Amino acid sequence: MIHDPSTAWDGPFPYEVLAPAGADPDTPHAEMQDLSFELMARGLMTPRTQRAWHELRTTRRRLLADVLLYAQEAGPEAVAAAREAAEAEEAAEDAEPDVPPEAEEWLRPPWAPAERLADELDGVPLPPFPGPPPEPLDALVRFDR
């Protein structure tokens, strides 16, 4: 079971806080009631873990926490691979857009001499720009909307 981090919970999610003590959604409720002894024995009883334990030891709050969990069918390797794929997809969205194949045809010079001319002009210094346009750029650009 995994917790959706976008769900609202007042404070840290209790299962995540109590994970070092071995508490998870599959922990029987009777063991959850006695978890405070395990926390004290391991030296993990802090105000933060005590609050998390109080939230999970009552049936009402524990059921509320369980509602925010998702069943995880795949193992940790599949989850890690899915996370990497999502991060790669996000990085690809942030990268420079590629030219669509149907647009490449229109971006090519219309004839071979133009390609040679572009190669010959490569590295030729251009004269400086004469200055700002006479009108604001916003006046020159028009949108259909």
Side-chain angles (χ1 to χ4, degrees), residues 52-133:
W53 174 67
H54 279 294
E55 289 179 333
L56 292 181
R57 74 185 183 114
T58 61
T59 306
R60 183 173 178 259
R61 289 292 285 180
R62 185 169 182 186
L63 287 174
L64 182 62
D66 289 349
V67 166
L68 301 177
L69 299 172
Y70 292 101
Q72 177 182 332
E73 303 267 337
E77 298 84 19
V79 172
R83 180 175 286 137
E84 287 176 16
E87 289 171 357
E89 183 177 320
E90 186 176 298
E93 288 174 1
D94 293 342
E96 289 291 322
D98 291 334
V99 176
E102 59 271 7
E104 286 182 10
E105 171 186 341
W106 296 100
L107 294 174
R108 270 190 254 119
W111 41 281
E115 289 179 12
R116 285 195 312 266
L117 180 62
D119 289 340
E120 289 175 12
L121 292 176
D122 188 32
V124 173
L126 297 174
F129 189 72

